[in-house]
Amino acid sequence: MALQATPYKITLDISDTDRGVYESVKFTVARHPSETEIRLASRILAYAIFYHPQLAFGRGLSDSDEAALWEIDLTGEIQHWIDVGQPDAERVIKASRRAPQMSVVVYGNARLWREKTILQFGHLDNVRVLALAQEELAIIAAKLTRSTHWGVMISDAQLYISDGDQQMPLPLECWHGELPTAP
């Protein structure tokens, strides 16, 4: 019998002063059996960073033809493809052809990935790569529970995650392209 995905009920209070986005959203996200808490936390934070009313979670790990997140317009066209992790250059290039915007939110020790992979798609104007600080992300991911309520403030390329008990800064680095701007 195959292992089942684990549902997480998430509430995010998003205050993105860089883009002028102020929303409180509730959703359920499935954690794939092989997915780490750090990857799940990265997907949730990517949702906050790129929040849009049409942004949705894809099947991610269970379907390689889908993004971790994507914004699909009312006509069914993909407007923004968002991957989380360290995808290979071929996947980034393919996704950049499928959507006007393609973003990668990188986590973990990605120095080698950055040196090797970005060179292969650095010429693409519609691709952006953002990196989450490894140590801070691990601390935030450890606070993830099956019912999580986070306040996420984004200001000057810095994330501040609040869980009610404490606030944790999480630096956001832009490795390629530009940071998200007002819609």
Side-chain angles (χ1 to χ4, degrees):
M1 186 164 110
L3 294 174
Q4 297 293 316
T6 305
Y8 282 70
K9 293 180 187 276
I10 306 296
T11 301
L12 295 180
D13 296 323
I14 304 168
S15 298
D16 186 340
T17 60
D18 294 344
R19 296 190 310 141
V21 173
Y22 305 94
E23 293 288 336
S24 183
V25 293
K26 292 181 180 185
F27 55 88
T28 300
V29 63
R31 178 180 173 193
H32 190 276
S34 67
E35 184 174 33
T36 65
E37 286 182 340
I38 291 177
R39 185 175 192 285
L40 179 60
S42 298
R43 286 197 299 141
I44 293 166
L45 293 174
Y47 185 90
I49 293 166
F50 296 108
Y51 176 77
H52 187 278
Q54 275 83 42
L55 188 63
F57 290 92
R59 290 190 196 116
L61 289 174
S62 60
D63 189 338
S64 61
D65 284 339
E66 287 195 15
L69 299 110
W70 48 15
E71 177 189 330
I72 300 176
D73 69 15
L74 298 176
T75 68
E77 295 292 318
I78 301 169
Q79 296 301 312
H80 193 176
W81 180 293
I82 304 165
D83 266 341
V84 174
Q86 299 175 22
D88 60 32
E90 183 178 319
R91 180 173 170 84
V92 172
I93 293 166
K94 182 179 176 183
S96 74
R97 292 181 184 141
R98 293 184 65 186
Q101 294 182 69
M102 194 287 166
S103 298
V104 179
V105 176
V106 179
Y107 65 89
N109 189 354
R111 184 181 54 82
L112 290 175
W113 179 88
R114 179 182 183 183
E115 292 172 2
K116 184 176 89 174
T117 310
I118 292 180
L119 292 174
Q120 297 176 49
F121 62 79
H123 62 285
L124 298 173
D125 292 336
N126 67 330
V127 176
R128 88 174 56 125
V129 178
L130 305 177
L132 299 172
Q134 186 173 348
E135 289 179 27
E136 292 89 339
L137 179 61
I139 294 167
I140 291 165
K143 295 179 172 284
L144 193 60
T145 65
R146 297 272 309 272
S147 180
T148 296
H149 186 159
W150 283 346
V152 181
M153 187 176 86
I154 304 168
S155 181
D156 296 326
Q158 178 90 8
L159 278 74
Y160 300 91
I161 316 303
S162 172
D163 67 356
D165 294 331
Q166 66 177 354
Q167 185 177 43
M168 170 66 101
L170 177 63
L172 184 63
E173 290 184 57
C174 186
W175 287 355
H176 181 73
E178 297 179 6
L179 290 169
T181 56

